[in-house]
Amino acid sequence: MASTVIGAGITIEGEVTADEDVVVQGTIRGKLSAKEGVTVEAGAVVEADIHGGPMAVAGAVTGNITSSDRVDLQAGARVVGNVKATRITIADGAQFK
């Protein structure tokens, strides 16, 4: 399936809603909702509540994460907020507060 990519030079303020996977390389402030998965890549900044399917976080997230599946906090991830998911993994080097 195709995915929506928010590139490294992009900043979005407001609400982002997608029917497909979302890959964040840039910055989002507001709210992010995806029917499929969400990937926050290293160097990306999300200051928003995130709702969606399976999620992988390697960048910085300030906000609550709600997943219908699993959340993987990868090495280098920084999350400040609540995480609600059926499963969560926190890799060595990830920060969760």
Side-chain angles (χ1 to χ4, degrees):
M1 179 169 222
S3 61
T4 299
V5 178
I6 298 166
I10 304 292
T11 298
I12 296 176
E13 295 190 16
E15 186 172 332
V16 176
T17 304
D19 291 334
E20 55 192 14
D21 292 333
V22 176
V23 178
V24 181
Q25 299 169 341
T27 302
I28 295 180
R29 293 185 186 99
K31 183 178 178 183
L32 171 59
S33 298
K35 288 187 179 176
E36 300 295 329
V38 176
T39 301
V40 179
E41 294 190 350
V45 176
V46 177
E47 297 172 356
D49 290 338
I50 305 173
H51 300 270
M55 299 188 196
V57 178
V61 176
T62 302
N64 298 320
I65 298 173
T66 305
S67 172
S68 61
D69 191 7
R70 68 181 291 150
V71 174
D72 295 316
L73 302 183
Q74 301 171 352
R78 290 181 298 126
V79 176
V80 177
N82 297 313
V83 176
K84 182 177 178 183
T86 57
R87 293 177 290 166
I88 182 171
T89 58
I90 303 174
D92 287 342
Q95 298 176 12
F96 176 57
K97 183 175 170 182

